């Protein structure tokens, strides 16, 4: 059954208040609800339908009198009075039997909830839609020292707690937690002087992994006050870490619930990347308090309203806390890797989709990351001051609303006077625009002209794309590397458009799409000399990195298709950048990166060639070997100069140095053998250095001893063991990857029902391009076996992992046939979930 945006109708009733009482029991939890309904004057239709799934209805009453509603497996309908009335129901649910991790479930002995998007209907009968907002009071009874829900605590007793949330909210923001937990606590005073109690609740044993998350929380609270003027609005803010969780985290009002991998951190057990990600996710969920909770979404088609904006806000936060250039480059790598693949394949959909079968399948890179890019473009177009004014108006006008993308754009139109009709296409059209640029130089007049053409390939979701509004940031550089024209934002609206720069003495080199100012695929025919000039001199750190990346890609493609040796000029230019001590170490570490295998496969496919995963793998290996040989002395120097030998701090400065020394170590191991990596492994007192040394050893074929020691050292730490599982797959030789994954599934600690552990093995396999796409087809078959096994237990995680197959049309006929066989095999399994069948039928095509 498909749901359409165009079918939106308001619900026939308003909910004035909700009171819920939980009597907790692992298999027989009782939930009593008392809900005050009245007719919604804005609604035509007044059918009283309440969502409800997997509930056992014990009793139902209206105004105190028993009623007999008509119940299906999707919900119930009932005849109701015209006047306001009180609905009361009691249902029984089975949290321990809930392996889908949606609704109320148990994880490691504790009760917890995940209601977004449509999980509340597995807790009780309710209008489970985001435009129905109400005030919740929650009573929890159960033999657990910690009993939590949303809002402020009103009563706490032995095995009993009551919570009241004064802010109206939709049901998807409901949360409940109960268990034997310990708190790491702090306090925050808001800008108007409100004292807020902060708690991070964890299972006993994890207390030592809370400090960083708490610091990230207070930093986020302060940042949102300073940058967006947003203040926290309750007396308490709780975060809970849960081991079994389908996603990263959830912004439930006043009670954020986190995948423990997204909040627990210590130097010994977490890498620098983990720390940075945790800081960003804490910020993301906290920022949702305004962009998501105080202003929520009218319906799930508007998901990007809260997610795109909140991702954009958390990226601003990370830029402020760390390095803006490094953050931007990392985000673009991620966007190209995940969002472009989605937007250019069978799963392509607009940032605001217009139809879906299962909304959980639309928590995508397009909604989140492209949604954030759209906000960034809007800000570039209107400018920082206008953006700030528009946001102030948004918060003022829509506080308490369930809003739409139209509402969002209107505040920009009203504050700037701009017409955003065309810009709105970014929300309605799928597909990545291709932007081509050609240059003309009029030496006599000193005029340089850039002519752009844009074209978005049609897709099933958008058969007739129209031109987008593109902010294109451009700077001009002279042959000596100096600037001739500072950055200027060109605003392109037509399919083809020219822009001129006059008053020039000599032909400049154009640095186009600085900062990656629009999420497009750029084709700019620069000569190698011009790219080398940009790599050496561009003042825009993104485009400087991009010049190096393009040279790397071209070198790799030549190796793949012609067997040529890695480009010596690129290597020499790169070496100069590496040795430039005025550049941040983290930035130089990024410069040492290469385009991913998937990126190369896509580029080949785009230019009409069929990618051969084995050839790509060999070319990347050969290029890395060549880099190692060419840079050996520079790398040794960099390693010695930047190795961190003071106590570990997860900050940007130290983590940048570790990123650089670890990138150097990985290359040095190729030419100098395993001794260096073994030494780092033996001396490491933090996970960042321990894990990268282990990776280097595994890749060199000398990791067996360290791997066994690692397991011995960390067998009791779930999050570290996820790394141990994942690393073995990601570092395996292509022909071994599926086998390694399969062997790991026999390990006593392979708990496949835990999403983190499942992803550690199978996410790593899917990401191992040459391994997953090995010509034997073993990777495809193994993943399919396990998706078939997981689907009845956890449809959400299964459906999400199906995207491993989304690029299948890129490959040769033999691989396509093998993948098709596996897709059909999964599709044929009995009682396949709605989640997985929607994903597979979209990927598979008609
Ligand atoms: N709103 C959460 C976040 O982005 C994600 C919740 C996803 N839930 C889901 N069932 N897909 O922070
Ligand atoms: Zn979010």
């Amino acid at each position: 059954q498909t749901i359409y945006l165009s079918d939106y109708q308001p619900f026939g009733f308003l909910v004035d208040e909700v009171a819920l009482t939980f009597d907790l029991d692992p298999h027989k939890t009782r939930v009593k609800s008392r809900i005050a309904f009245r007719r919604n004057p804005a609604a035509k239709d007044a059918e009283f339908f309440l969502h409800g799934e997997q509930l056992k209805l014990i009793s139902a009453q209206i105004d105190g009198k028993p009623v007999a509603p008509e119940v299906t497996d999707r919900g119930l309908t009932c005849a109701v009075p015209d006047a306001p009335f009180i609905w009361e129901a009691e249902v029984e649910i089975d949290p321990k039997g809930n392996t889908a991790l949606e609704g109320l479930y148990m994880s490691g002995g504790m009760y917890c909830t995940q209601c977004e998007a449509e999980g509340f209907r597995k807790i009780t009968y309710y209008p489970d839609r985001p435009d129905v907002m109400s005030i919740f009071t929650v009573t929890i009874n159960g033999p657990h020292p910690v009993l939590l829900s949303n809002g402020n605590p009103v009563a706490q007793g032995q095995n009993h707690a009551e919570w009241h949330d004064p802010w109206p909210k939709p049901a998807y923001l409901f949360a409940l937690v109960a268990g034997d937990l310990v708190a790491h606590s702090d306090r925050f005073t808001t800008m108007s002087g409100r004292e807020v109690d902060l708690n991070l609740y964890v299972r006993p044993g994890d207390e030592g992994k809370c400090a960083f998350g708490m610091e990230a929380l207070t930093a986020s609270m302060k940042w949102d006050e300073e940058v967006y003027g947003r203040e926290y609005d309750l007396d308490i803010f709780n975060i809970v870490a849960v081991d079994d969780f389908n996603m990263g985290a959830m912004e439930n009002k006043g009670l954020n619930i986190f995948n423990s991998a997204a909040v627990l951190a210590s130097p010994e057990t977490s890498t620098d990347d983990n720390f940075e990600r945790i800081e960003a996710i804490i910020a993301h969920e906290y920022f949702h308090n305004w962009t998501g909770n105080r202003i929520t979404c009218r319906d799930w088609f508007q998901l990007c309203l809260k997610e795109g904006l909140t991702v954009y806000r958390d990226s601003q936060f990370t830029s402020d806390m760390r390095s803006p250039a490094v953050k931007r480059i990392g985000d673009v790598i991620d966007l190209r890797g995940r969002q472009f693949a989605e937007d250019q394949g069978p799963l392509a959909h607009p940032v605001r989709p217009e139809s879906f079968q299962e909304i959980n399948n639309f928590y995508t890179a397009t909604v989140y990351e492209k949604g954030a890019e759209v906000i960034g473009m809007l800000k570039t177009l209107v400018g920082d001051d206008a953006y700030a004014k528009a946001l102030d108006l948004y918060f003022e006008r829509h506080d308490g609303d369930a809003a739409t993308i139209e509402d969002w754009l209107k505040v920009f139109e009203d504050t700037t006077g701009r017409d955003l009709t065309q810009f709105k296409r970014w929300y309605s059209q799928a597909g990545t625009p291709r932007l081509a640029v050609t240059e003309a130089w009029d030496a006599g007049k000193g005029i340089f002209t850039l002519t752009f053409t844009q074209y978005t390939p049609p897709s099933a979701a958008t058969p007739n794309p129209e031109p987008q509004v593109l902010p294109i940031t451009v700077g001009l550089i002279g042959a000596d590397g100096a600037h001739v024209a500072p950055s200027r934002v060109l605003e392109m609206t037509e399919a083809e458009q020219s822009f001129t720069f006059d008053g020039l003495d000599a032909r400049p080199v154009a640095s186009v799409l600085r900062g990656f100012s629009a999420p497009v695929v750029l084709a700019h025919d620069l000569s190698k000399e011009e790219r080398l000039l940009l790599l050496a001199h561009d003042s825009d750190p993104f485009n400087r990195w991009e010049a190096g990346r393009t040279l790397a890609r071209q070198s790799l493609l030549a190796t793949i298709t012609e067997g040529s040796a890695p480009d010596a000029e690129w290597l020499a230019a790169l070496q100069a950048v590496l040795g430039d001590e005025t550049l941040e170490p983290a930035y130089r570490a990024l410069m040492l990166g290469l385009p991913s295998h998937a990126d190369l496969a896509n580029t080949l496919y785009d230019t009409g060639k069929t990618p051969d995963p084995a050839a790509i793998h060999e070319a990347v290996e050969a290029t890395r070997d060549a880099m190692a040989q060419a840079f050996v002395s520079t790398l040794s120097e960099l390693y010695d100069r930047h190795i961190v030998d003071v106590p570990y701090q997860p900050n940007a400065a130290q983590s940048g140095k570790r990123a650089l020394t670890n990138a150097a170590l990985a290359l040095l191991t190729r030419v100098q053998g395993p001794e260096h990596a073994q030494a780092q492994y033996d001396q490491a007192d933090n996970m960042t250095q321990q894990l990268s040394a282990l990776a280097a050893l595994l890749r060199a074929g000398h990791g067996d001893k360290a791997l066994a020691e690692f397991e011995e050292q960390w067998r009791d730490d779930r999050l570290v063991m996820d790394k141990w599982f994942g690393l073995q797959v990601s570092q395996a030789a292509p022909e071994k990857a599926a086998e390694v994954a399969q062997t790991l599934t026999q390990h006593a600690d392979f708990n496949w029902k835990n999403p983190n552990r499942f992803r550690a093995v199978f996410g790593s396999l899917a990401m191992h391009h040459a391994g997953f796409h090995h010509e034997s087809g073993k990777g495809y078959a193994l993943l399919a076996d396990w998706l078939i096994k997981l689907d009845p237990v956890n449809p959400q995680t299964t459906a999400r992992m199906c995207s491993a197959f989304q690029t299948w049309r890129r490959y040769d006929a033999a691989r396509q046939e093998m993948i098709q066989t596996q897709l059909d095999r999964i599709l044929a399994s009995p009682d396949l979930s709605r989640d997985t069948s929607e994903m597979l039928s979209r990927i598979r095509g008609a």
Side-chain angles (χ1 to χ4, degrees):
Q1 191 210 353
T2 304
I3 320 231
Y4 296 92
L5 166 60
S6 53
D7 287 345
Y8 175 81
Q9 291 291 334
F11 184 54
F13 298 83
L14 301 173
V15 179
D16 291 320
E17 277 188 89
V18 181
L20 300 172
T21 302
F22 289 81
D23 293 310
L24 296 173
D25 179 89
H27 287 295
K28 290 176 185 308
T29 286
R30 288 289 176 105
V31 185
K32 291 191 206 94
S33 59
R34 186 180 192 281
I35 309 172
F37 285 101
R38 72 189 145 93
R39 284 289 303 270
N40 179 359
K44 291 194 295 278
D45 179 36
E47 191 198 22
F48 186 71
F49 173 76
L50 302 180
H51 295 104
E53 291 176 16
Q54 297 164 37
L55 306 172
K56 187 164 137 198
L57 181 61
I58 306 294
S59 67
Q61 294 171 13
I62 288 180
D63 291 331
K65 293 188 201 65
V67 288
E70 203 170 307
V71 180
T72 71
D73 57 0
R74 305 300 300 269
L76 61 74
T77 51
C78 191
V80 298
D82 281 337
F85 62 94
I86 302 291
W87 162 267
E88 286 169 283
E90 180 165 0
V91 301
E92 188 176 287
I93 54 179
D94 177 4
K96 197 147 190 203
N98 180 354
T99 57
L101 314 182
E102 185 187 57
L104 178 68
Y105 65 95
M106 296 195 76
S107 171
M110 68 195 268
Y111 293 85
C112 61
T113 53
Q114 172 57 33
C115 292
E116 187 180 3
E118 300 181 330
F120 191 76
R121 62 191 63 182
K122 293 179 165 182
I123 292 177
T124 192
Y125 288 99
Y126 196 75
D128 186 8
R129 36 186 292 169
D131 59 343
V132 174
M133 299 171 79
S134 190
I135 292 179
F136 284 66
T137 302
V138 176
T139 303
I140 314 169
N141 300 311
H144 310 283
V146 175
L147 300 168
L148 307 172
S149 190
N150 317 91
N152 296 318
V154 288
Q156 304 283 331
Q158 182 80 20
N159 301 336
H160 172 89
E162 273 172 60
W163 292 81
H164 177 74
D165 183 357
W167 298 103
K169 66 168 177 290
Y172 83 87
L173 292 173
F174 168 82
L176 177 149
V177 169
D180 182 5
L181 303 172
V182 288
H184 175 100
S185 304
D186 202 345
R187 270 174 100 69
F188 183 82
T189 308
T190 70
M191 58 188 182
S192 75
R194 180 197 281 271
E195 289 287 322
V196 185
D197 285 324
L198 310 176
N199 302 294
L200 172 46
Y201 283 98
V202 297
R203 297 222 312 237
D206 287 335
E207 300 90 330
K209 294 182 176 181
C210 297
F212 180 79
M214 184 56 83
E215 282 168 35
L217 175 61
T218 52
S220 305
M221 295 177 86
K222 200 158 157 5
W223 186 92
D224 214 15
E225 291 185 348
E226 286 169 357
V227 180
Y228 280 85
R230 298 297 105 203
E231 187 175 356
Y232 189 61
D233 54 5
L234 291 167
D235 303 333
I236 188 165
F237 187 82
N238 290 321
I239 293 178
V240 181
V242 173
D243 284 342
D244 300 280
F245 205 75
N246 281 328
M247 312 282 289
M250 179 62 211
E251 70 264 23
N252 318 297
K253 183 78 187 191
L255 178 54
N256 288 359
I257 297 182
F258 275 63
N259 186 325
S260 46
V263 56
L264 300 182
S266 76
E268 297 73 30
T269 59
S270 313
T271 64
D272 289 325
D273 289 345
N274 295 152
F275 277 100
E276 180 171 338
R277 175 164 178 267
I278 287 166
E279 182 178 83
I281 299 181
I282 298 254
H284 180 97
E285 306 310 332
Y286 175 72
F287 297 160
H288 267 315
N289 191 52
W290 275 94
T291 52
N293 302 1
R294 289 287 286 262
I295 305 180
T296 192
C297 300
R298 187 192 71 174
D299 53 69
W300 291 118
F301 297 101
Q302 321 294 329
L303 181 59
C304 63
L305 178 75
K306 73 179 178 79
E307 295 304 346
L309 178 54
T310 305
V311 171
Y312 184 69
R313 276 152 48 70
D314 82 56
S315 73
Q316 289 181 299
F317 170 76
T318 298
S319 298
D320 285 355
M321 304 302 283
R322 294 166 182 262
S323 156
V326 169
K327 170 64 175 163
R328 186 62 187 145
I329 294 165
D331 282 352
V332 174
I333 291 173
D334 181 62
L335 187 80
R336 285 179 173 154
R338 300 192 303 120
Q339 201 278 323
F340 280 21
E342 185 168 270
D343 224 358
Q344 294 166 31
L347 297 175
H349 56 275
V351 168
R352 180 170 71 175
E354 276 153 29
S355 67
F356 61 74
Q357 291 175 34
E358 172 51 63
I359 185 58
N360 283 322
N361 289 335
F362 286 84
Y363 285 71
T364 59
T366 298
V367 169
Y368 277 66
E369 274 73 34
K370 189 177 181 181
E373 291 298 316
V374 172
I375 311 254
M377 285 191 284
L378 198 49
K379 181 158 176 282
T380 302
L381 289 168
V382 303
D384 294 356
D385 293 346
Y387 176 82
K389 275 208 193 73
L391 267 285
D392 286 346
L393 181 60
Y394 180 62
F395 292 123
E396 187 193 311
R397 189 184 278 176
H398 293 293
D399 186 10
D401 287 355
T404 61
I405 288 302
E406 283 73 18
D407 295 327
W408 162 254
L409 290 174
K410 188 84 168 52
V411 298
F412 281 84
E413 295 193 319
D414 290 353
T415 46
T416 65
R418 259 177 192 260
D419 179 353
L420 292 173
T421 312
Q422 186 185 354
F423 186 82
K424 198 177 166 190
R425 286 179 193 156
W426 279 111
Y427 288 100
S428 61
Q429 290 191 174
T432 314
R434 311 294 163 116
L435 179 66
V437 54
T438 56
E439 304 178 352
W441 168 238
D442 182 335
K445 299 202 178 98
I447 294 177
F448 184 65
T449 305
L450 292 175
T451 300
F452 294 90
T453 53
Q454 61 162 308
Y455 163 76
T456 303
S459 57
T462 306
N464 298 304
E466 294 182 278
Q468 298 281 20
V469 181
L470 300 176
I472 307 171
T473 307
V474 173
L476 301 182
I477 292 167
D480 58 352
H483 256 82
V484 285
S487 277
R488 175 174 143 195
V489 180
L490 311 177
E491 193 171 327
M492 180 175 186
T493 55
E494 309 289 324
E496 178 174 338
Q497 216 169 329
S498 296
F499 299 87
T500 59
F501 299 78
D502 50 23
L504 301 171
D505 303 331
R507 182 180 182 133
V509 176
S511 170
V512 175
L513 208 68
R514 286 186 155 179
F516 202 64
S517 58
V520 300
V521 175
L522 177 69
H524 187 186
D525 259 331
L526 291 171
S527 67
K528 200 206 265 180
E529 289 62 42
E530 289 173 311
R531 284 199 212 283
L532 289 167
L533 184 88
L534 294 176
L535 174 57
H537 297 293
D538 200 330
S539 62
D540 180 69
F542 178 82
N543 264 9
R544 189 169 179 185
W545 170 83
E546 179 82 324
R549 172 129 302 202
T550 306
L551 288 164
R553 189 180 290 111
Q554 288 175 343
S555 172
L556 281 156
L557 291 173
T559 307
I560 295 164
T561 58
E562 289 144 40
S564 38
D567 178 355
E569 285 176 279
W570 159 60
L571 289 174
L574 183 55
Q575 183 159 21
V577 171
L578 292 177
D580 182 348
E581 286 298 324
T582 65
L583 296 171
E584 292 177 274
Y587 183 74
R588 284 182 279 162
L590 285 170
M591 283 281 190
L592 273 176
L594 291 179
S596 68
H597 294 57
D599 175 320
L600 296 165
N602 190 35
T603 312
L604 288 162
Y605 175 68
D606 246 7
T607 49
K609 301 184 183 90
T610 303
D612 172 0
I616 293 173
H617 179 78
E618 280 163 31
V620 171
E621 290 303 303
T623 303
R624 292 225 166 274
D625 285 342
M627 289 166 79
Q629 269 146 23
F631 303 161
V632 65
S633 60
T634 309
L635 293 170
S636 299
E637 268 170 53
L638 285 176
Y639 189 92
D640 295 339
R641 180 172 307 127
H642 293 289
I643 189 74
V644 179
D645 43 22
V646 296
Y648 181 94
Q649 293 280 332
N651 59 33
Q654 268 200 15
S655 65
K657 286 169 183 279
R658 279 186 291 269
L660 184 58
T661 51
N662 285 329
L665 179 69
L667 289 173
L668 285 170
T669 304
R670 288 174 184 263
V671 282
Q672 297 178 337
E675 289 73 26
H676 205 153
Q678 187 68 53
Q680 176 168 315
Y681 185 86
D682 293 336
Q683 286 156 27
D685 64 356
N686 62 81
M687 184 50 61
T688 309
Q689 286 173 328
Q690 188 177 13
L691 199 68
S692 22
L694 179 57
L697 289 170
L698 284 171
R699 214 162 32 225
H702 287 90
D704 289 352
K705 181 167 152 280
L707 199 60
E709 286 170 12
F710 191 98
E711 183 185 12
E712 189 53 37
Q713 182 182 359
W714 294 116
R715 64 165 80 246
D716 295 327
D717 189 302
R718 305 170 302 278
L719 297 175
V720 179
M721 285 303 284
D722 287 335
K723 302 183 201 301
W724 182 85
F725 275 89
L727 196 67
Q728 293 178 66
V729 179
S730 63
Q731 299 305 330
E735 66 281 7
K736 291 273 177 57
E739 212 176 294
V740 170
Q742 163 131 48
T743 308
L744 285 171
T745 62
Q746 321 279 311
H747 193 284
D749 292 329
F750 182 70
N751 171 9
W752 58 277
K753 295 186 181 173
N754 174 263
N756 291 358
R757 191 58 48 94
F758 190 91
R759 279 189 289 253
V761 172
F762 291 108
S764 303
L765 178 62
M767 295 282 290
H768 188 321
H769 189 261
F772 182 56
H773 294 286
H774 187 259
E775 60 183 356
S776 63
K778 282 187 291 192
Y780 306 147
L782 183 69
L783 181 60
D785 287 345
W786 282 88
L787 293 178
I788 290 169
K789 184 164 168 173
L790 187 65
D791 187 64
V793 167
N794 186 335
Q796 258 186 56
T797 291
T798 309
R800 195 151 263 275
M801 300 260 343
C802 289
S803 60
F805 292 111
Q806 71 177 327
T807 55
W808 69 295
R809 298 263 186 209
R810 282 181 195 164
Y811 299 97
D812 53 87
R815 284 186 172 84
Q816 288 199 26
E817 206 181 297
M818 289 190 288
I819 295 178
Q820 204 166 322
T821 304
Q822 299 306 332
L823 296 178
D824 290 342
R825 191 161 69 90
I826 309 171
L827 274 164
S829 36
D831 301 317
L832 198 66
S833 67
R834 179 173 63 212
D835 310 57
T836 302
S837 70
E838 181 188 28
M839 286 295 277
L840 290 178
S841 42
R842 283 163 65 209
I843 291 171
R844 174 79 169 75

